[in-house]
Amino acid sequence: MRLTLAVAARAVGFGLPLAVLTAWLLARGRFPGRTLLNAAVHLPLVVPPVVTGWLLLVIFGVEGPAGRLLLAWFGVRLAFTTAGAALACAVMTFPIMVRTVRLAIEAIDPRLDQAARTLGAGRLDRLLTVTLPLGAPGIVVAGVVGYATCLGEFGAVITFAANIPGETQTLPLAIYSALQAPGGEAAAARLAAVSVVLALAGLLLAEWAGRWLRARVGR
Amino acid sequence: MSLALALRHTLGTATLDVAFEVPGTGITALFGPSGAGKSTVLAAMAGLLRPAFCRLVVDGTTLADTDAGTWIAPERRRVGLVFQDALLFPHLSVAGNLRYGQRRAGAGAIGFDEVVGLLGLGALLARRPHTLSGGQRQLVAIGRALLGQPRLLLLDEPLAGLDAARKAEILPFLGRLKSALALPMLYVTHALEEVAQLADHLVLLRDLRILGSGPVSEMAARADLPLAQRDDAGAVLTLTVAGHDPARRLTWLRRDGFSLLVALQTAPPGATLRVRIPAREVILARPEAAALGDLLSLHNLVPGTVRAIGADARHGAALVEIEAAGARLLSRITPDAVARLGLRPGAAVLALVKSVSVEVLAALC
């Protein structure tokens, strides 16, 4: 279980900043390829998780182009490791986080951005002093929902990182293993209860954090 | 000091095509009905909208000249913009909002304490925008724009969302800004009373074109502009309090050779007052009628000359524009009266104005 939490934390820790940047580009940017980027971001949401896992294996596996470079340059192997499980989780939850953050950014009156502009704030300045503070409730919610979703990620993880106890065996994988083993029903039920509690706690936390932050920014 | 704009921009199927040059001091009102193109003009001046053609020169500095490829980005243009709905940053306090522009502009001619004092914001500094009233929000927005050290301040219908009482609260602050800061201000509005109270210059916009521009005192009395067709058409004059006669409950107002008696005012002698004389309240007479002055209840028999006569189709009336010792008056009378008195441009005439018909609008410090 501790492994599951750590994997989810790494997935959100690396995925969320990238998701915020992508959401900002999609919400406020006008550039060629915007539609394509939008489609690419949403891909993991619509293809079967097993396919996502397999694609990751093709790209980041020891024989894949990115995987080979990582191994040669940094000595990092992703496939069948804890880091790999985190990567699979991050990719799977990325669209959900981008969508949530994007909705939050799009809900900000674009004229606030214009007001900041006439007051001398450049693009990055406006992102840091207007968009991020006002989008903070949405970003926090995205993080918590993304975290909760990571806890339940199965298909992509088992395909890319396999089901190695203590290394890549996250909660849903452990439940699956317990069910496969004879007499494992009791263990599976215990683990299932844990996962329900975790998910529920995550959703409640998201709701509460969003409300608190919204009150803080006066909206 | 001057403010010159030329602008062409396609809006759907129509083309906005405007050009005007006004003095670089005081308040210029950009007046017109909704859909006239006012907001587009402001957005282009602030740099938020890049039109097909735009040339904007403020006090000799070219901020935009699309023909020459010059286009200063809004964040470097130092053109302040006050939106109709204030648009304060909801996550910052009043002080945070005020300092937002100041931090980025650096120190300048306009100081924090000066702005807080001018706009009466001292008690609000720690408050959050959502706890402020509409009028207070608007004052903070004006202060925030001023602290960005603008070379030009644009105000987009800043009072449009406020009720009459709030408007009356804010107007004096705007008047104070005008006299305290040597800053050109362009004030967009469709409310004529705000023009009459505040503006020194008037640019009339209708259907994406400029109908005319000039000093308010001249524009308001022009018989040929649509302003004269309004029910509330009338001359706007800026006069000085020359003296009071408390016994008769009267005050003399004067400028150059022009003088007017009005009901007793509280403003001290020497103070400057804005007054409005509605066109429908001005009676015209032949100059000989001056001899009858003692027989009439009214106090003001102003000798003048007819400048122009226009038709007022809406009221089936004639509009007579009169020059009186440098001041301009407007009178709405029947075409029959024009014929009976033999009025024509250049004719001498006597304008009769009741003291109580003179609306004293505001004291300008």
Side-chain angles (χ1 to χ4, degrees), chain B residues 83-120:
Chain B
F83 296 82
Q84 187 180 329
D85 43 357
L87 285 176
L88 299 179
F89 300 122
H91 56 302
L92 300 177
S93 66
V94 168
N97 270 280
L98 289 174
R99 294 209 188 271
Y100 192 93
Q102 192 189 28
R103 278 214 191 90
R104 284 153 184 86
I110 306 170
F112 187 84
D113 295 334
E114 185 188 7
V115 165
V116 169
L118 269 175
L119 297 172

PDB file of all heavy atoms in Angstrom, chain B residues 83-120:
ATOM      1  N   PHE B  83     -11.977  49.389 -16.884  1.00  0.00           N
ATOM      2  CA  PHE B  83     -13.091  48.688 -17.509  1.00  0.00           C
ATOM      3  C   PHE B  83     -14.405  49.083 -16.848  1.00  0.00           C
ATOM      4  O   PHE B  83     -14.440  49.543 -15.709  1.00  0.00           O
ATOM      5  CB  PHE B  83     -12.916  47.178 -17.369  1.00  0.00           C
ATOM      6  CG  PHE B  83     -11.710  46.630 -18.081  1.00  0.00           C
ATOM      7  CD1 PHE B  83     -10.447  46.696 -17.501  1.00  0.00           C
ATOM      8  CD2 PHE B  83     -11.829  46.048 -19.321  1.00  0.00           C
ATOM      9  CE1 PHE B  83      -9.337  46.176 -18.148  1.00  0.00           C
ATOM     10  CE2 PHE B  83     -10.721  45.529 -19.977  1.00  0.00           C
ATOM     11  CZ  PHE B  83      -9.480  45.594 -19.394  1.00  0.00           C
ATOM     12  N   GLN B  84     -15.475  48.821 -17.576  1.00  0.00           N
ATOM     13  CA  GLN B  84     -16.805  49.157 -17.055  1.00  0.00           C
ATOM     14  C   GLN B  84     -17.096  48.442 -15.743  1.00  0.00           C
ATOM     15  O   GLN B  84     -17.686  49.009 -14.837  1.00  0.00           O
ATOM     16  CB  GLN B  84     -17.842  48.775 -18.106  1.00  0.00           C
ATOM     17  CG  GLN B  84     -19.228  49.228 -17.757  1.00  0.00           C
ATOM     18  CD  GLN B  84     -20.227  48.818 -18.822  1.00  0.00           C
ATOM     19  OE1 GLN B  84     -19.888  48.722 -19.992  1.00  0.00           O
ATOM     20  NE2 GLN B  84     -21.441  48.575 -18.408  1.00  0.00           N
ATOM     21  N   ASP B  85     -16.652  47.173 -15.636  1.00  0.00           N
ATOM     22  CA  ASP B  85     -16.924  46.425 -14.414  1.00  0.00           C
ATOM     23  C   ASP B  85     -15.654  46.248 -13.570  1.00  0.00           C
ATOM     24  O   ASP B  85     -15.442  45.210 -12.963  1.00  0.00           O
ATOM     25  CB  ASP B  85     -17.581  45.076 -14.719  1.00  0.00           C
ATOM     26  CG  ASP B  85     -16.934  44.379 -15.901  1.00  0.00           C
ATOM     27  OD1 ASP B  85     -16.024  44.978 -16.507  1.00  0.00           O
ATOM     28  OD2 ASP B  85     -17.313  43.253 -16.223  1.00  0.00           O
ATOM     29  N   ALA B  86     -14.799  47.262 -13.572  1.00  0.00           N
ATOM     30  CA  ALA B  86     -13.627  47.357 -12.681  1.00  0.00           C
ATOM     31  C   ALA B  86     -12.577  46.268 -12.913  1.00  0.00           C
ATOM     32  O   ALA B  86     -11.411  46.550 -13.089  1.00  0.00           O
ATOM     33  CB  ALA B  86     -14.028  47.399 -11.215  1.00  0.00           C
ATOM     34  N   LEU B  87     -13.013  44.976 -12.907  1.00  0.00           N
ATOM     35  CA  LEU B  87     -12.075  43.868 -13.130  1.00  0.00           C
ATOM     36  C   LEU B  87     -10.872  43.922 -12.194  1.00  0.00           C
ATOM     37  O   LEU B  87      -9.728  43.811 -12.630  1.00  0.00           O
ATOM     38  CB  LEU B  87     -11.591  43.849 -14.578  1.00  0.00           C
ATOM     39  CG  LEU B  87     -12.596  43.324 -15.600  1.00  0.00           C
ATOM     40  CD1 LEU B  87     -12.030  43.446 -16.995  1.00  0.00           C
ATOM     41  CD2 LEU B  87     -12.954  41.884 -15.306  1.00  0.00           C
ATOM     42  N   LEU B  88     -11.154  44.074 -10.910  1.00  0.00           N
ATOM     43  CA  LEU B  88     -10.067  43.990  -9.930  1.00  0.00           C
ATOM     44  C   LEU B  88      -9.633  42.534  -9.835  1.00  0.00           C
ATOM     45  O   LEU B  88     -10.404  41.622 -10.125  1.00  0.00           O
ATOM     46  CB  LEU B  88     -10.560  44.476  -8.573  1.00  0.00           C
ATOM     47  CG  LEU B  88     -11.034  45.925  -8.555  1.00  0.00           C
ATOM     48  CD1 LEU B  88     -11.518  46.288  -7.165  1.00  0.00           C
ATOM     49  CD2 LEU B  88      -9.936  46.867  -8.995  1.00  0.00           C
ATOM     50  N   PHE B  89      -8.372  42.316  -9.423  1.00  0.00           N
ATOM     51  CA  PHE B  89      -7.900  40.945  -9.235  1.00  0.00           C
ATOM     52  C   PHE B  89      -8.526  40.409  -7.948  1.00  0.00           C
ATOM     53  O   PHE B  89      -8.249  40.921  -6.866  1.00  0.00           O
ATOM     54  CB  PHE B  89      -6.380  40.920  -9.149  1.00  0.00           C
ATOM     55  CG  PHE B  89      -5.719  41.463 -10.387  1.00  0.00           C
ATOM     56  CD1 PHE B  89      -4.853  42.534 -10.319  1.00  0.00           C
ATOM     57  CD2 PHE B  89      -6.004  40.914 -11.628  1.00  0.00           C
ATOM     58  CE1 PHE B  89      -4.251  43.042 -11.459  1.00  0.00           C
ATOM     59  CE2 PHE B  89      -5.414  41.415 -12.775  1.00  0.00           C
ATOM     60  CZ  PHE B  89      -4.542  42.481 -12.694  1.00  0.00           C
ATOM     61  N   PRO B  90      -9.371  39.369  -8.056  1.00  0.00           N
ATOM     62  CA  PRO B  90     -10.126  38.930  -6.874  1.00  0.00           C
ATOM     63  C   PRO B  90      -9.240  38.317  -5.802  1.00  0.00           C
ATOM     64  O   PRO B  90      -9.631  38.251  -4.644  1.00  0.00           O
ATOM     65  CB  PRO B  90     -11.116  37.900  -7.439  1.00  0.00           C
ATOM     66  CG  PRO B  90     -10.554  37.475  -8.745  1.00  0.00           C
ATOM     67  CD  PRO B  90      -9.724  38.620  -9.263  1.00  0.00           C
ATOM     68  N   HIS B  91      -8.031  37.861  -6.176  1.00  0.00           N
ATOM     69  CA  HIS B  91      -7.189  37.183  -5.197  1.00  0.00           C
ATOM     70  C   HIS B  91      -6.262  38.152  -4.476  1.00  0.00           C
ATOM     71  O   HIS B  91      -5.485  37.739  -3.629  1.00  0.00           O
ATOM     72  CB  HIS B  91      -6.369  36.079  -5.861  1.00  0.00           C
ATOM     73  CG  HIS B  91      -5.524  36.569  -7.010  1.00  0.00           C
ATOM     74  ND1 HIS B  91      -6.062  37.196  -8.110  1.00  0.00           N
ATOM     75  CD2 HIS B  91      -4.200  36.538  -7.223  1.00  0.00           C
ATOM     76  CE1 HIS B  91      -5.092  37.503  -8.952  1.00  0.00           C
ATOM     77  NE2 HIS B  91      -3.943  37.132  -8.438  1.00  0.00           N
ATOM     78  N   LEU B  92      -6.336  39.451  -4.821  1.00  0.00           N
ATOM     79  CA  LEU B  92      -5.473  40.435  -4.162  1.00  0.00           C
ATOM     80  C   LEU B  92      -6.325  41.421  -3.370  1.00  0.00           C
ATOM     81  O   LEU B  92      -7.480  41.681  -3.722  1.00  0.00           O
ATOM     82  CB  LEU B  92      -4.652  41.200  -5.213  1.00  0.00           C
ATOM     83  CG  LEU B  92      -3.718  40.386  -6.100  1.00  0.00           C
ATOM     84  CD1 LEU B  92      -3.043  41.290  -7.121  1.00  0.00           C
ATOM     85  CD2 LEU B  92      -2.672  39.679  -5.265  1.00  0.00           C
ATOM     86  N   SER B  93      -5.727  41.981  -2.314  1.00  0.00           N
ATOM     87  CA  SER B  93      -6.408  43.015  -1.552  1.00  0.00           C
ATOM     88  C   SER B  93      -6.440  44.295  -2.385  1.00  0.00           C
ATOM     89  O   SER B  93      -5.853  44.371  -3.452  1.00  0.00           O
ATOM     90  CB  SER B  93      -5.650  43.270  -0.247  1.00  0.00           C
ATOM     91  OG  SER B  93      -4.379  43.815  -0.564  1.00  0.00           O
ATOM     92  N   VAL B  94      -7.129  45.303  -1.861  1.00  0.00           N
ATOM     93  CA  VAL B  94      -7.171  46.599  -2.546  1.00  0.00           C
ATOM     94  C   VAL B  94      -5.750  47.130  -2.734  1.00  0.00           C
ATOM     95  O   VAL B  94      -5.366  47.561  -3.830  1.00  0.00           O
ATOM     96  CB  VAL B  94      -8.036  47.594  -1.750  1.00  0.00           C
ATOM     97  CG1 VAL B  94      -7.845  49.008  -2.269  1.00  0.00           C
ATOM     98  CG2 VAL B  94      -9.505  47.193  -1.846  1.00  0.00           C
ATOM     99  N   ALA B  95      -4.938  47.041  -1.660  1.00  0.00           N
ATOM    100  CA  ALA B  95      -3.553  47.523  -1.768  1.00  0.00           C
ATOM    101  C   ALA B  95      -2.782  46.710  -2.812  1.00  0.00           C
ATOM    102  O   ALA B  95      -2.009  47.265  -3.595  1.00  0.00           O
ATOM    103  CB  ALA B  95      -2.862  47.434  -0.408  1.00  0.00           C
ATOM    104  N   GLY B  96      -3.007  45.393  -2.823  1.00  0.00           N
ATOM    105  CA  GLY B  96      -2.344  44.529  -3.794  1.00  0.00           C
ATOM    106  C   GLY B  96      -2.722  44.896  -5.218  1.00  0.00           C
ATOM    107  O   GLY B  96      -1.878  44.913  -6.119  1.00  0.00           O
ATOM    108  N   ASN B  97      -3.997  45.199  -5.417  1.00  0.00           N
ATOM    109  CA  ASN B  97      -4.450  45.629  -6.732  1.00  0.00           C
ATOM    110  C   ASN B  97      -3.793  46.950  -7.128  1.00  0.00           C
ATOM    111  O   ASN B  97      -3.329  47.105  -8.257  1.00  0.00           O
ATOM    112  CB  ASN B  97      -5.976  45.803  -6.737  1.00  0.00           C
ATOM    113  CG  ASN B  97      -6.699  44.534  -7.132  1.00  0.00           C
ATOM    114  OD1 ASN B  97      -6.802  44.214  -8.306  1.00  0.00           O
ATOM    115  ND2 ASN B  97      -7.175  43.794  -6.139  1.00  0.00           N
ATOM    116  N   LEU B  98      -3.758  47.887  -6.175  1.00  0.00           N
ATOM    117  CA  LEU B  98      -3.185  49.204  -6.483  1.00  0.00           C
ATOM    118  C   LEU B  98      -1.709  49.080  -6.837  1.00  0.00           C
ATOM    119  O   LEU B  98      -1.221  49.754  -7.731  1.00  0.00           O
ATOM    120  CB  LEU B  98      -3.354  50.140  -5.286  1.00  0.00           C
ATOM    121  CG  LEU B  98      -4.775  50.610  -4.987  1.00  0.00           C
ATOM    122  CD1 LEU B  98      -4.823  51.409  -3.692  1.00  0.00           C
ATOM    123  CD2 LEU B  98      -5.325  51.442  -6.136  1.00  0.00           C
ATOM    124  N   ARG B  99      -1.016  48.174  -6.117  1.00  0.00           N
ATOM    125  CA  ARG B  99       0.437  48.078  -6.331  1.00  0.00           C
ATOM    126  C   ARG B  99       0.797  47.229  -7.541  1.00  0.00           C
ATOM    127  O   ARG B  99       1.952  47.193  -7.949  1.00  0.00           O
ATOM    128  CB  ARG B  99       1.113  47.497  -5.084  1.00  0.00           C
ATOM    129  CG  ARG B  99       1.010  48.418  -3.871  1.00  0.00           C
ATOM    130  CD  ARG B  99       2.195  48.229  -2.943  1.00  0.00           C
ATOM    131  NE  ARG B  99       2.026  48.948  -1.693  1.00  0.00           N
ATOM    132  CZ  ARG B  99       2.399  50.194  -1.502  1.00  0.00           C
ATOM    133  NH1 ARG B  99       2.972  50.863  -2.490  1.00  0.00           N
ATOM    134  NH2 ARG B  99       2.204  50.797  -0.343  1.00  0.00           N
ATOM    135  N   TYR B 100      -0.182  46.512  -8.106  1.00  0.00           N
ATOM    136  CA  TYR B 100       0.125  45.605  -9.219  1.00  0.00           C
ATOM    137  C   TYR B 100       0.791  46.354 -10.373  1.00  0.00           C
ATOM    138  O   TYR B 100       1.844  45.948 -10.865  1.00  0.00           O
ATOM    139  CB  TYR B 100      -1.151  44.925  -9.714  1.00  0.00           C
ATOM    140  CG  TYR B 100      -0.890  43.761 -10.649  1.00  0.00           C
ATOM    141  CD1 TYR B 100      -0.786  42.476 -10.164  1.00  0.00           C
ATOM    142  CD2 TYR B 100      -0.751  43.953 -12.017  1.00  0.00           C
ATOM    143  CE1 TYR B 100      -0.542  41.404 -11.008  1.00  0.00           C
ATOM    144  CE2 TYR B 100      -0.497  42.893 -12.876  1.00  0.00           C
ATOM    145  CZ  TYR B 100      -0.403  41.618 -12.361  1.00  0.00           C
ATOM    146  OH  TYR B 100      -0.151  40.562 -13.206  1.00  0.00           O
ATOM    147  N   GLY B 101       0.153  47.461 -10.765  1.00  0.00           N
ATOM    148  CA  GLY B 101       0.710  48.237 -11.870  1.00  0.00           C
ATOM    149  C   GLY B 101       1.950  49.004 -11.445  1.00  0.00           C
ATOM    150  O   GLY B 101       2.910  49.137 -12.190  1.00  0.00           O
ATOM    151  N   GLN B 102       1.921  49.492 -10.199  1.00  0.00           N
ATOM    152  CA  GLN B 102       3.032  50.314  -9.695  1.00  0.00           C
ATOM    153  C   GLN B 102       4.333  49.526  -9.671  1.00  0.00           C
ATOM    154  O   GLN B 102       5.385  50.020 -10.043  1.00  0.00           O
ATOM    155  CB  GLN B 102       2.683  50.808  -8.289  1.00  0.00           C
ATOM    156  CG  GLN B 102       3.627  51.888  -7.799  1.00  0.00           C
ATOM    157  CD  GLN B 102       3.402  52.198  -6.327  1.00  0.00           C
ATOM    158  OE1 GLN B 102       2.963  51.354  -5.554  1.00  0.00           O
ATOM    159  NE2 GLN B 102       3.690  53.421  -5.947  1.00  0.00           N
ATOM    160  N   ARG B 103       4.248  48.237  -9.240  1.00  0.00           N
ATOM    161  CA  ARG B 103       5.443  47.392  -9.182  1.00  0.00           C
ATOM    162  C   ARG B 103       6.083  47.256 -10.547  1.00  0.00           C
ATOM    163  O   ARG B 103       7.297  47.208 -10.684  1.00  0.00           O
ATOM    164  CB  ARG B 103       5.059  45.992  -8.706  1.00  0.00           C
ATOM    165  CG  ARG B 103       4.949  45.932  -7.233  1.00  0.00           C
ATOM    166  CD  ARG B 103       5.392  44.603  -6.664  1.00  0.00           C
ATOM    167  NE  ARG B 103       4.975  44.606  -5.275  1.00  0.00           N
ATOM    168  CZ  ARG B 103       3.801  44.166  -4.879  1.00  0.00           C
ATOM    169  NH1 ARG B 103       2.968  43.632  -5.740  1.00  0.00           N
ATOM    170  NH2 ARG B 103       3.466  44.240  -3.622  1.00  0.00           N
ATOM    171  N   ARG B 104       5.243  47.144 -11.558  1.00  0.00           N
ATOM    172  CA  ARG B 104       5.772  46.898 -12.902  1.00  0.00           C
ATOM    173  C   ARG B 104       6.204  48.178 -13.597  1.00  0.00           C
ATOM    174  O   ARG B 104       7.084  48.148 -14.457  1.00  0.00           O
ATOM    175  CB  ARG B 104       4.725  46.157 -13.724  1.00  0.00           C
ATOM    176  CG  ARG B 104       4.670  44.694 -13.316  1.00  0.00           C
ATOM    177  CD  ARG B 104       3.332  44.039 -13.549  1.00  0.00           C
ATOM    178  NE  ARG B 104       3.364  42.660 -13.038  1.00  0.00           N
ATOM    179  CZ  ARG B 104       3.102  42.327 -11.782  1.00  0.00           C
ATOM    180  NH1 ARG B 104       2.768  43.252 -10.904  1.00  0.00           N
ATOM    181  NH2 ARG B 104       3.170  41.070 -11.397  1.00  0.00           N
ATOM    182  N   ALA B 105       5.585  49.303 -13.216  1.00  0.00           N
ATOM    183  CA  ALA B 105       5.932  50.565 -13.876  1.00  0.00           C
ATOM    184  C   ALA B 105       7.106  51.242 -13.174  1.00  0.00           C
ATOM    185  O   ALA B 105       7.785  52.077 -13.760  1.00  0.00           O
ATOM    186  CB  ALA B 105       4.722  51.490 -13.875  1.00  0.00           C
ATOM    187  N   GLY B 106       7.349  50.887 -11.921  1.00  0.00           N
ATOM    188  CA  GLY B 106       8.378  51.569 -11.151  1.00  0.00           C
ATOM    189  C   GLY B 106       7.854  52.896 -10.642  1.00  0.00           C
ATOM    190  O   GLY B 106       6.697  53.241 -10.856  1.00  0.00           O
ATOM    191  N   ALA B 107       8.717  53.631  -9.967  1.00  0.00           N
ATOM    192  CA  ALA B 107       8.304  54.918  -9.423  1.00  0.00           C
ATOM    193  C   ALA B 107       8.054  55.887 -10.568  1.00  0.00           C
ATOM    194  O   ALA B 107       8.715  55.836 -11.594  1.00  0.00           O
ATOM    195  CB  ALA B 107       9.387  55.460  -8.497  1.00  0.00           C
ATOM    196  N   GLY B 108       7.081  56.753 -10.369  1.00  0.00           N
ATOM    197  CA  GLY B 108       6.773  57.724 -11.411  1.00  0.00           C
ATOM    198  C   GLY B 108       6.200  58.974 -10.803  1.00  0.00           C
ATOM    199  O   GLY B 108       6.310  59.186  -9.594  1.00  0.00           O
ATOM    200  N   ALA B 109       5.579  59.774 -11.637  1.00  0.00           N
ATOM    201  CA  ALA B 109       5.056  61.047 -11.183  1.00  0.00           C
ATOM    202  C   ALA B 109       3.890  60.861 -10.223  1.00  0.00           C
ATOM    203  O   ALA B 109       3.629  61.706  -9.372  1.00  0.00           O
ATOM    204  CB  ALA B 109       4.618  61.872 -12.391  1.00  0.00           C
ATOM    205  N   ILE B 110       3.185  59.738 -10.341  1.00  0.00           N
ATOM    206  CA  ILE B 110       1.982  59.532  -9.540  1.00  0.00           C
ATOM    207  C   ILE B 110       2.312  58.608  -8.378  1.00  0.00           C
ATOM    208  O   ILE B 110       2.683  57.449  -8.580  1.00  0.00           O
ATOM    209  CB  ILE B 110       0.855  58.938 -10.398  1.00  0.00           C
ATOM    210  CG1 ILE B 110       0.628  59.818 -11.634  1.00  0.00           C
ATOM    211  CG2 ILE B 110      -0.424  58.797  -9.591  1.00  0.00           C
ATOM    212  CD1 ILE B 110      -0.291  59.213 -12.676  1.00  0.00           C
ATOM    213  N   GLY B 111       2.205  59.108  -7.149  1.00  0.00           N
ATOM    214  CA  GLY B 111       2.592  58.346  -5.973  1.00  0.00           C
ATOM    215  C   GLY B 111       1.424  57.597  -5.357  1.00  0.00           C
ATOM    216  O   GLY B 111       0.267  57.959  -5.545  1.00  0.00           O
ATOM    217  N   PHE B 112       1.763  56.528  -4.610  1.00  0.00           N
ATOM    218  CA  PHE B 112       0.744  55.682  -3.980  1.00  0.00           C
ATOM    219  C   PHE B 112      -0.147  56.493  -3.034  1.00  0.00           C
ATOM    220  O   PHE B 112      -1.372  56.461  -3.130  1.00  0.00           O
ATOM    221  CB  PHE B 112       1.441  54.548  -3.231  1.00  0.00           C
ATOM    222  CG  PHE B 112       0.493  53.505  -2.683  1.00  0.00           C
ATOM    223  CD1 PHE B 112       0.044  52.471  -3.479  1.00  0.00           C
ATOM    224  CD2 PHE B 112       0.071  53.578  -1.365  1.00  0.00           C
ATOM    225  CE1 PHE B 112      -0.829  51.515  -2.977  1.00  0.00           C
ATOM    226  CE2 PHE B 112      -0.801  52.620  -0.853  1.00  0.00           C
ATOM    227  CZ  PHE B 112      -1.250  51.590  -1.666  1.00  0.00           C
ATOM    228  N   ASP B 113       0.520  57.257  -2.149  1.00  0.00           N
ATOM    229  CA  ASP B 113      -0.253  58.013  -1.153  1.00  0.00           C
ATOM    230  C   ASP B 113      -1.120  59.071  -1.820  1.00  0.00           C
ATOM    231  O   ASP B 113      -2.230  59.356  -1.372  1.00  0.00           O
ATOM    232  CB  ASP B 113       0.689  58.656  -0.141  1.00  0.00           C
ATOM    233  CG  ASP B 113       1.418  57.610   0.684  1.00  0.00           C
ATOM    234  OD1 ASP B 113       0.869  56.493   0.831  1.00  0.00           O
ATOM    235  OD2 ASP B 113       2.536  57.888   1.166  1.00  0.00           O
ATOM    236  N   GLU B 114      -0.587  59.641  -2.904  1.00  0.00           N
ATOM    237  CA  GLU B 114      -1.347  60.672  -3.608  1.00  0.00           C
ATOM    238  C   GLU B 114      -2.642  60.089  -4.179  1.00  0.00           C
ATOM    239  O   GLU B 114      -3.724  60.672  -4.041  1.00  0.00           O
ATOM    240  CB  GLU B 114      -0.480  61.253  -4.739  1.00  0.00           C
ATOM    241  CG  GLU B 114      -1.134  62.422  -5.455  1.00  0.00           C
ATOM    242  CD  GLU B 114      -0.351  62.862  -6.693  1.00  0.00           C
ATOM    243  OE1 GLU B 114       0.622  62.173  -7.055  1.00  0.00           O
ATOM    244  OE2 GLU B 114      -0.733  63.883  -7.275  1.00  0.00           O
ATOM    245  N   VAL B 115      -2.517  58.911  -4.798  1.00  0.00           N
ATOM    246  CA  VAL B 115      -3.690  58.274  -5.394  1.00  0.00           C
ATOM    247  C   VAL B 115      -4.698  57.882  -4.311  1.00  0.00           C
ATOM    248  O   VAL B 115      -5.900  58.119  -4.430  1.00  0.00           O
ATOM    249  CB  VAL B 115      -3.264  57.035  -6.217  1.00  0.00           C
ATOM    250  CG1 VAL B 115      -4.450  56.153  -6.531  1.00  0.00           C
ATOM    251  CG2 VAL B 115      -2.582  57.486  -7.496  1.00  0.00           C
ATOM    252  N   VAL B 116      -4.173  57.283  -3.221  1.00  0.00           N
ATOM    253  CA  VAL B 116      -5.055  56.869  -2.130  1.00  0.00           C
ATOM    254  C   VAL B 116      -5.808  58.082  -1.573  1.00  0.00           C
ATOM    255  O   VAL B 116      -7.005  58.028  -1.307  1.00  0.00           O
ATOM    256  CB  VAL B 116      -4.248  56.161  -1.024  1.00  0.00           C
ATOM    257  CG1 VAL B 116      -5.088  55.969   0.229  1.00  0.00           C
ATOM    258  CG2 VAL B 116      -3.739  54.817  -1.531  1.00  0.00           C
ATOM    259  N   GLY B 117      -5.080  59.216  -1.459  1.00  0.00           N
ATOM    260  CA  GLY B 117      -5.711  60.430  -0.954  1.00  0.00           C
ATOM    261  C   GLY B 117      -6.734  60.998  -1.927  1.00  0.00           C
ATOM    262  O   GLY B 117      -7.863  61.328  -1.545  1.00  0.00           O
ATOM    263  N   LEU B 118      -6.350  61.083  -3.183  1.00  0.00           N
ATOM    264  CA  LEU B 118      -7.238  61.663  -4.197  1.00  0.00           C
ATOM    265  C   LEU B 118      -8.547  60.898  -4.319  1.00  0.00           C
ATOM    266  O   LEU B 118      -9.614  61.485  -4.523  1.00  0.00           O
ATOM    267  CB  LEU B 118      -6.545  61.638  -5.570  1.00  0.00           C
ATOM    268  CG  LEU B 118      -5.716  62.841  -5.984  1.00  0.00           C
ATOM    269  CD1 LEU B 118      -5.023  62.561  -7.308  1.00  0.00           C
ATOM    270  CD2 LEU B 118      -6.598  64.070  -6.105  1.00  0.00           C
ATOM    271  N   LEU B 119      -8.453  59.571  -4.230  1.00  0.00           N
ATOM    272  CA  LEU B 119      -9.632  58.740  -4.473  1.00  0.00           C
ATOM    273  C   LEU B 119     -10.303  58.285  -3.169  1.00  0.00           C
ATOM    274  O   LEU B 119     -11.289  57.556  -3.208  1.00  0.00           O
ATOM    275  CB  LEU B 119      -9.248  57.517  -5.317  1.00  0.00           C
ATOM    276  CG  LEU B 119      -8.726  57.831  -6.717  1.00  0.00           C
ATOM    277  CD1 LEU B 119      -8.199  56.587  -7.396  1.00  0.00           C
ATOM    278  CD2 LEU B 119      -9.817  58.460  -7.574  1.00  0.00           C
ATOM    279  N   GLY B 120      -9.738  58.719  -2.035  1.00  0.00           N
ATOM    280  CA  GLY B 120     -10.356  58.377  -0.754  1.00  0.00           C
ATOM    281  C   GLY B 120     -10.351  56.887  -0.474  1.00  0.00           C
ATOM    282  O   GLY B 120     -11.345  56.321  -0.029  1.00  0.00           O
TER     283      GLY B 120
END
